[in-house]
Amino acid sequence: RSEGSEPSQTKNNVPRLKLSYKEMLETNNLVTFEGLANSSAYHTLLLDEEKGRLLVGAKDNIFSFNLLNISKDKAQIPWTASPTRRDECKWAGKDLLRECAHFIKVLLPFNQSHFYVCGTGAFHPVCSYLEVGKKPEDGVFRLATHVENGRGKSPYDPKLLTASMLIDGELYAGTSADFMGRDFAIFRTLGKHHPIRTEQHDSRWLNDPRFVGVHLIPENDNPEDDKIYLFFRENAMDGEHAGKATYARIGQLCKNDLGGHRSLVNKWTTFLKARLICSVPGSNGIDTHFDELQDVFLISTKDPKSPVIYGVFTTSSNVFKGSAVCMYSMTDIRRAFLGPYAHRDGPSYQWVPFQGRVPYPRPGTCPSKTFGGFDTTKDLPDEVVTFARSHPAMFNPVNPINNKPIIVKTDVDYKFTQMVVDKVEAEDGLYDVMFIGTDMGTVLKVVAIPRSSWHDLEDVLLEEMTVFREPVAITAMELSTKQQQLYLGSDIGVSQMPLHRCEVYGKACAECCLA
Amino acid sequence: RSEGSEPSQTKNNVPRLKLSYKEMLETNNLVTFEGLANSSAYHTLLLDEEKGRLLVGAKDNIFSFNLLNISKDKAQIPWTASPTRRDECKWAGKDLLRECAHFIKVLLPFNQSHFYVCGTGAFHPVCSYLEVGKKPEDGVFRLATHVENGRGKSPYDPKLLTASMLIDGELYAGTSADFMGRDFAIFRTLGKHHPIRTEQHDSRWLNDPRFVGVHLIPENDNPEDDKIYLFFRENAMDGEHAGKATYARIGQLCKNDLGGHRSLVNKWTTFLKARLICSVPGSNGIDTHFDELQDVFLISTKDPKSPVIYGVFTTSSNVFKGSAVCMYSMTDIRRAFLGPYAHRDGPSYQWVPFQGRVPYPRPGTCPSKTFGGFDTTKDLPDEVVTFARSHPAMFNPVNPINNKPIIVKTDVDYKFTQMVVDKVEAEDGLYDVMFIGTDMGTVLKVVAIPRSSWHDLEDVLLEEMTVFREPVAITAMELSTKQQQLYLGSDIGVSQMPLHRCEVYGKACAECCLA
């Protein structure tokens, strides 16, 4: 690992422009939806650019806002848990107001006219279909009366998250699937196949994970090889770390995985995970790690197979509070998944790179014509499935680009929670402009500018804007490049702000919009 | 581990009284020796209370100061390396001014009239005897012409430290014993016995240690059971921690260890080490560790077998800088050494508590009538020596009293380097008043005051005083309770200050001297 250059640490935590909540409103840089008295938890945001709407899933309600201005022509569908469910939830010892309600956790495009919506249903997850019509002028916004079981789709506990994605009528969700919040898994439900999930009761597969993102990334031009990548943090595996620790992970699955035939029946046979490192190299060889993955954002490149992955991390310590952003390349990620499997001979052994013979086809490879030999995971040789079952983790971690974070923030009273990235064309090339949400209701606008080369970036804090009336955590962030707007969710409401505030600077736009 | 109360973290880093260097001088709270142009590194301090002198070992010089006032009747003995040695040192690629001089590293009472002195001798350690006479009025202060080999007593490299102690004519020293600074060991030299040391080239015994202290602590009333305890930091053993890490250690030895007969000949057979934990419990179960042990101070209790041990720690991270003080009891330390040995079956195994049969007498036990059976370590059964050789580390660490630090300091521009503790009687009982030296030339005076009980201490920063003209690290600290003075060493000179500054507060002494 290169230790040549200093870690990119923002010594100066003072932004070039700082706007309070009041200033944001006064300068018309903020439109807010202040929330309803009987709702909260505006955490599930979905952009419908075609129809010009922002859909928001919250406590007991689904909202539809006008993307141009969220304070105009808002629509709302109340969706509560039945009194019976709420009573059951309360009898089970849960808090009636904060837990025994219907918190919307999943809101995904299903087809041209419908969205798929799931919520906690007072610790009894349910899903349904939200009809929005085919065209904006249809003005349709109604919930189907038909309700489906939401287990494996939405968590029971509103405090927990689901990372979910719907492709080809199938729902991929990393979530908690039981009342106690102990059975975490990655599920595929809906669609024509039998539901499929990760192995249960095996802490090597998943160890108390918190899912923050899921994305489909093609492996090559053959869709048979398409992979689903999940991003989460979890407890380090037994023997992986001295004492308790959180590790950030990337997990992979084949989209066409149908589970095993004799073993791993209706379980993923292509699941693998690798550690995502985000650390500042120490001159003494002791690195400072940021392990609590909070959010990921993928930014596309010319090559759809190789998006750049931004990860937002915080520290695990309650003494030293800090945040960092690391970038990862798909090349490094694929290299980790093609590297040695983590292996140990038993509980008293260390994890070592597996040195023995890896069965063919290599576990983690998708059934396809590309690598030949098998059409479906059900045809996999037993020894491949057995190996896959006991070797879900890779030995090598994925290191960030340049082996260090692009942003490190310490000695501030906030932590990063969310991030989106906007590509902005400036005179001297394309810049990634990062919008980072914090746990104090603020948004930071940061650009990474090359110091001497693209391997040595300096982050510049351009703006710090307060976007909620109270210091609440920003829990959702959606970027519309078409509208040039940012949409933000929190516990107390929804906010909207333009990406750029050229008029505030009062100078020529070219100068201000990229500092 | 208790997680009930919040970590004792000084949220308020502002002292009740802050005195600059100028203010310290103006208020007669500081006497300084500003150093000589041809000397530096005033790091080796020794109090001679009987003769009322402070002895200081430095670069190319030994000094003797008046304890009452170090600026009065100073005596000085130049002791340089020979031009030949200096040339050899220079030819070996070392820096002539900063490395190829004679840096005094050891200065210990030898008998009623002599001190034993060792130094680096331009990367060729040498020792000699410093005569001071039997009575103060003798006025003797001269170095013997006879020079001894200093290997295993003083390091070669002036950057490295020696923790040393002289008892019954024998010198115990934790140091580096070669030119390259790779062979670190704990030695016993001088005296009538053959020199003895730790096993060489075995990273389980010592792994790049930095010694900070050595103390004799009786085990019981039988002096045969007397033990020497060494305090150091070192690299974690292979397999002890994921990635590189520093661990703080306490090591034990029997004073009457003579080495083995067939195996471990002239090596310690009673060496054991345990990890010293100084960490703040995290609400998520992830603790924040302070592992870089900088200094220890023992404060005696009524029971000479049970001093309280104060440890000064800093973090290993170059991103998050912080310092902490932890307290340890001998009960907890002895329990760790009587607990399971750390064991692993091979390099790919984890360290586990040794579950098998421990040979008798239990390795680490001193030969004595107390536990019977053997008179000298040379009579130890082979299997005991073999076991001791391969099991130098204990599995259980030593946790601090109350399982958390008594002081945690973050978000300040200094780090702790040294500490002494003064017991002060106040109206409501005995208080430990801590004087903590920093790397910025300041001394902090801190008291730990019980909040609700003695298990819940709150540290109060009483004073912050600048005691050197430049922000240099305080590298040595000696407390004279008799004189009620503190003596401080640094690279640029020596300073003296009274323990209390009642006149500065300008109030009744009872009120001011304990806040």
Side-chain angles (χ1 to χ4, degrees):
Chain A
R1 299 182 59 174
S2 78
E3 297 211 28
S5 53
E6 275 296 290
S8 172
Q9 186 162 358
T10 311
K11 268 142 208 149
N12 192 349
N13 286 323
V14 181
R16 298 199 179 179
L17 178 68
K18 187 169 181 166
L19 292 173
S20 68
Y21 183 67
K22 194 161 159 267
E23 288 167 332
M24 285 291 283
L25 288 172
E26 283 170 0
T27 56
N28 294 318
N29 274 298
L30 191 65
V31 181
T32 62
F33 165 66
E34 298 267 325
L36 302 182
N38 65 350
S39 187
S40 64
Y42 306 88
H43 301 323
T44 311
L45 268 58
L46 183 72
L47 285 185
D48 183 359
E49 303 244 25
E50 254 180 59
K51 300 193 188 66
R53 306 298 295 182
L54 171 73
L55 296 172
V56 176
K59 180 191 178 189
D60 291 332
N61 286 283
I62 305 166
F63 298 90
S64 171
F65 298 101
N66 187 330
L67 269 190
L68 295 170
N69 185 325
I70 62 165
S71 69
K72 288 182 185 156
D73 65 284
K74 164 176 70 79
Q76 176 189 351
I77 300 175
W79 185 14
T80 56
S82 70
T84 319
R85 289 278 177 234
R86 299 192 65 203
D87 284 347
E88 283 172 9
C89 176
K90 198 188 156 197
W91 294 332
K94 304 295 175 186
D95 185 271
L96 194 62
L97 280 175
R98 285 180 296 128
E99 300 184 301
C100 297
H102 187 50
F103 293 87
I104 307 296
K105 291 288 180 177
V106 173
L107 186 49
L108 296 165
F110 185 75
N111 58 28
Q112 275 195 294
S113 56
H114 287 79
F115 288 88
Y116 196 65
V117 199
C118 305
T120 61
F123 271 79
H124 185 91
V126 286
C127 298
S128 188
Y129 295 85
L130 179 69
E131 192 181 350
V132 293
K134 294 203 174 179
K135 284 176 243 158
E137 52 273 28
D138 294 351
V140 179
F141 185 58
R142 63 176 160 245
L143 198 66
T145 47
H146 166 71
V147 166
E148 298 180 350
N149 188 345
R151 187 171 172 273
K153 300 168 186 171
S154 163
Y156 287 60
D157 186 338
K159 282 194 299 295
L160 299 174
L161 302 171
T162 287
S164 58
M165 190 177 59
L166 227 162
I167 325 163
D168 300 338
E170 296 185 303
L171 178 71
Y172 297 80
T175 192
S176 148
D178 67 341
F179 183 89
M180 301 297 285
R182 285 183 192 154
D183 180 26
F184 289 90
I186 302 161
F187 293 87
R188 185 177 60 208
T189 49
L190 295 181
K192 60 185 189 294
H193 299 298
H194 191 283
I196 181 170
R197 57 166 292 168
T198 41
E199 180 69 310
Q200 214 169 355
H201 311 306
D202 188 331
S203 61
R204 295 174 300 182
W205 279 55
L206 294 170
N207 198 4
D208 221 358
R210 297 292 181 268
F211 296 94
V212 303
V214 52
H215 295 275
L216 182 140
I217 302 170
E219 188 85 353
N220 48 46
D221 297 335
N222 181 358
E224 289 182 308
D225 293 319
D226 282 357
K227 282 184 177 172
I228 313 288
Y229 290 93
L230 287 115
F231 298 86
F232 54 103
R233 60 181 190 269
E234 64 169 355
N235 294 340
M237 295 188 291
D238 172 47
E240 219 178 2
H241 194 275
K244 203 185 163 188
T246 300
Y247 278 4
R249 305 279 191 192
I250 178 171
Q252 72 133 51
L253 298 167
C254 290
K255 188 167 169 291
N256 61 2
D257 194 333
L258 295 176
H261 179 56
R262 264 185 292 272
S263 176
L264 289 182
V265 179
N266 297 322
K267 308 275 171 68
W268 301 105
T269 61
T270 57
F271 175 70
L272 293 174
K273 67 179 181 185
R275 184 178 175 194
L276 284 177
I277 299 262
C278 184
S279 67
V280 177
S283 51
N284 52 2
I286 302 175
D287 301 345
T288 302
H289 285 268
F290 296 81
D291 286 315
E292 304 277 341
L293 181 64
Q294 302 293 339
D295 194 22
V296 288
F297 188 83
L298 268 60
I299 192 155
S300 54
T301 63
K302 278 171 201 162
D303 177 6
K305 301 184 291 293
S306 303
V308 173
I309 293 158
Y310 284 80
V312 176
F313 298 82
T314 58
T315 52
S316 301
S317 167
N318 60 346
V319 175
F320 297 108
K321 286 168 186 154
S323 307
V325 175
C326 278
M327 281 165 74
Y328 304 91
S329 77
M330 284 308 298
T331 310
D332 291 338
I333 289 165
R334 293 195 177 102
R335 189 187 299 122
F337 285 121
L338 289 171
Y341 300 88
H343 173 85
R344 65 172 184 171
D345 282 324
S348 67
Y349 288 77
Q350 285 190 10
W351 289 95
V352 293
F354 181 74
Q355 303 278 13
R357 193 188 67 86
V358 174
Y360 183 86
R362 181 184 161 91
T365 312
C366 302
S368 83
K369 286 173 197 73
T370 312
F371 302 105
F374 68 121
D375 291 332
T376 152
T377 55
K378 296 200 176 187
D379 294 343
L380 284 171
D382 283 353
E383 63 160 350
V384 170
V385 177
T386 306
F387 188 90
R389 184 177 192 166
S390 58
H391 295 87
M394 307 313 300
F395 183 78
N396 292 330
V398 180
N399 285 309
I401 293 174
N402 297 334
N403 283 315
K404 62 182 182 188
I406 55 163
I407 303 179
V408 174
K409 195 67 95 183
T410 59
D411 299 332
V412 290
D413 58 354
Y414 55 79
K415 280 184 164 193
F416 295 173
T417 57
Q418 293 278 315
M419 126 178 251
V420 296
V421 183
D422 184 31
K423 271 201 181 316
V424 173
E425 214 175 320
E427 280 183 21
D428 51 347
L430 273 179
Y431 284 88
D432 286 352
V433 178
M434 294 170 267
F435 295 90
I436 300 169
T438 75
D439 61 346
M440 297 292 279
T442 56
V443 171
L444 313 177
K445 184 175 175 178
V446 184
V447 275
I449 294 170
R451 236 187 297 254
S452 52
S453 76
W454 283 100
H455 293 286
D456 184 20
L457 299 174
E458 182 184 12
D459 61 291
V460 178
L461 177 54
L462 298 176
E463 302 174 13
E464 183 179 329
M465 295 152 287
T466 304
V467 295
F468 285 102
R469 64 181 188 275
E470 288 171 29
V472 287
I474 290 175
T475 52
M477 222 168 176
E478 288 292 329
L479 168 79
S480 168
T481 47
K482 191 176 158 195
Q483 306 285 351
Q484 288 287 297
Q485 298 282 324
L486 203 58
Y487 305 93
L488 306 144
S490 78
D491 210 43
I492 61 167
V494 182
S495 289
Q496 170 190 5
M497 57 175 270
L499 299 182
H500 309 295
R501 266 149 304 283
C502 300
E503 80 297 345
V504 179
Y505 289 90
K507 291 187 182 174
C509 187
E511 191 190 345
C512 79
C513 280
L514 249 177
Chain B
R1 300 181 58 175
S2 78
E3 297 213 27
S5 53
E6 273 298 288
S8 173
Q9 187 161 355
T10 310
K11 269 140 206 151
N12 192 349
N13 286 321
V14 181
R16 298 200 179 178
L17 178 69
K18 187 168 182 167
L19 292 172
S20 68
Y21 182 68
K22 193 159 159 268
E23 288 166 331
M24 285 291 283
L25 288 172
E26 281 171 359
T27 55
N28 294 318
N29 274 296
L30 192 65
V31 181
T32 62
F33 166 66
E34 297 266 326
L36 301 181
N38 64 349
S39 188
S40 64
Y42 305 89
H43 300 324
T44 311
L45 267 59
L46 184 72
L47 286 186
D48 183 358
E49 302 246 25
E50 254 181 62
K51 300 194 187 65
R53 307 296 297 182
L54 172 73
L55 296 171
V56 176
K59 179 189 178 188
D60 291 333
N61 285 282
I62 306 166
F63 298 90
S64 169
F65 297 101
N66 187 331
L67 269 190
L68 295 171
N69 185 324
I70 62 165
S71 69
K72 284 180 185 158
D73 65 285
K74 165 176 70 77
Q76 176 189 353
I77 299 173
W79 184 14
T80 56
S82 70
T84 318
R85 289 280 177 232
R86 300 193 64 203
D87 284 348
E88 283 172 9
C89 176
K90 198 187 155 196
W91 293 332
K94 304 293 175 187
D95 184 90
L96 195 59
L97 279 176
R98 285 179 296 126
E99 300 185 301
C100 298
H102 187 50
F103 293 86
I104 306 298
K105 291 287 179 178
V106 173
L107 185 49
L108 297 164
F110 186 74
N111 58 27
Q112 275 195 295
S113 57
H114 287 80
F115 288 87
Y116 195 65
V117 200
C118 305
T120 60
F123 271 79
H124 185 91
V126 287
C127 299
S128 188
Y129 296 84
L130 179 69
E131 192 181 352
V132 292
K134 293 203 176 180
K135 285 176 246 162
E137 53 272 26
D138 293 352
V140 179
F141 186 58
R142 63 176 160 246
L143 198 66
T145 47
H146 166 70
V147 167
E148 298 180 352
N149 187 346
R151 187 171 172 272
K153 301 167 186 171
S154 164
Y156 288 60
D157 185 337
K159 282 194 299 294
L160 299 175
L161 302 171
T162 288
S164 58
M165 188 177 59
L166 227 161
I167 324 164
D168 300 340
E170 296 185 303
L171 178 72
Y172 297 81
T175 192
S176 149
D178 66 341
F179 183 89
M180 300 297 284
R182 284 182 194 155
D183 181 25
F184 288 90
I186 301 162
F187 292 89
R188 184 177 62 208
T189 50
L190 295 182
K192 60 185 189 294
H193 299 298
H194 190 285
I196 180 171
R197 58 165 290 169
T198 40
E199 180 69 310
Q200 214 168 355
H201 311 306
D202 188 331
S203 61
R204 294 174 301 181
W205 281 54
L206 294 170
N207 197 6
D208 221 356
R210 298 293 182 266
F211 296 95
V212 303
V214 51
H215 295 275
L216 182 138
I217 302 171
E219 188 84 352
N220 48 46
D221 297 335
N222 181 359
E224 288 182 308
D225 293 319
D226 282 358
K227 282 184 177 171
I228 313 286
Y229 290 93
L230 287 114
F231 298 87
F232 54 103
R233 59 180 191 268
E234 64 170 354
N235 295 341
M237 295 189 292
D238 174 45
E240 220 178 2
H241 194 275
K244 203 185 165 190
T246 300
Y247 277 5
R249 304 279 192 193
I250 178 169
Q252 71 133 52
L253 297 167
C254 290
K255 187 167 171 289
N256 62 2
D257 194 332
L258 295 175
H261 179 56
R262 264 186 292 272
S263 178
L264 289 183
V265 179
N266 297 322
K267 307 275 171 68
W268 302 104
T269 61
T270 58
F271 175 70
L272 292 175
K273 67 179 180 184
R275 183 177 175 195
L276 284 177
I277 300 261
C278 184
S279 66
V280 177
S283 51
N284 51 2
I286 301 176
D287 301 345
T288 302
H289 285 268
F290 296 81
D291 287 314
E292 305 277 340
L293 181 64
Q294 302 294 339
D295 194 21
V296 287
F297 187 82
L298 269 59
I299 193 155
S300 53
T301 63
K302 279 169 198 161
D303 177 5
K305 302 184 290 294
S306 303
V308 174
I309 293 158
Y310 284 80
V312 176
F313 298 81
T314 58
T315 52
S316 301
S317 167
N318 60 344
V319 175
F320 297 108
K321 285 168 187 157
S323 307
V325 174
C326 277
M327 280 166 74
Y328 304 91
S329 78
M330 284 309 297
T331 311
D332 291 339
I333 290 166
R334 292 196 179 102
R335 188 186 300 122
F337 285 122
L338 288 172
Y341 300 88
H343 173 84
R344 66 171 185 173
D345 283 325
S348 67
Y349 288 77
Q350 283 191 11
W351 290 95
V352 292
F354 181 73
Q355 305 278 14
R357 194 187 65 84
V358 174
Y360 183 86
R362 182 184 159 92
T365 312
C366 302
S368 84
K369 284 171 198 74
T370 312
F371 302 105
F374 67 121
D375 291 333
T376 152
T377 54
K378 296 201 173 183
D379 295 343
L380 284 171
D382 282 353
E383 63 161 348
V384 170
V385 177
T386 305
F387 187 90
R389 185 177 190 166
S390 58
H391 296 87
M394 306 314 298
F395 183 78
N396 292 331
V398 180
N399 285 308
I401 293 174
N402 296 333
N403 283 315
K404 62 183 182 187
I406 54 164
I407 303 179
V408 174
K409 195 67 98 184
T410 57
D411 299 331
V412 289
D413 59 353
Y414 55 80
K415 279 184 164 192
F416 296 172
T417 57
Q418 294 277 314
M419 130 178 248
V420 296
V421 182
D422 185 30
K423 269 201 182 316
V424 173
E425 214 175 322
E427 280 181 22
D428 53 345
L430 273 179
Y431 284 88
D432 287 353
V433 178
M434 294 170 267
F435 295 90
I436 299 169
T438 75
D439 61 346
M440 296 292 279
T442 56
V443 171
L444 312 177
K445 184 175 175 180
V446 184
V447 276
I449 293 171
R451 236 187 295 251
S452 52
S453 76
W454 283 100
H455 294 284
D456 184 19
L457 299 174
E458 182 184 11
D459 60 290
V460 178
L461 177 54
L462 298 177
E463 302 175 11
E464 182 177 330
M465 296 152 285
T466 305
V467 295
F468 286 102
R469 64 181 189 274
E470 290 171 28
V472 286
I474 290 174
T475 52
M477 222 167 174
E478 289 291 329
L479 168 79
S480 169
T481 47
K482 192 175 156 193
Q483 306 285 349
Q484 288 288 298
Q485 298 282 323
L486 203 58
Y487 304 92
L488 306 145
S490 77
D491 211 44
I492 61 167
V494 182
S495 289
Q496 171 191 3
M497 57 176 269
L499 298 183
H500 309 296
R501 267 149 303 285
C502 300
E503 79 297 342
V504 178
Y505 288 90
K507 290 190 184 175
C509 188
E511 192 191 348
C512 78
C513 280
L514 248 177

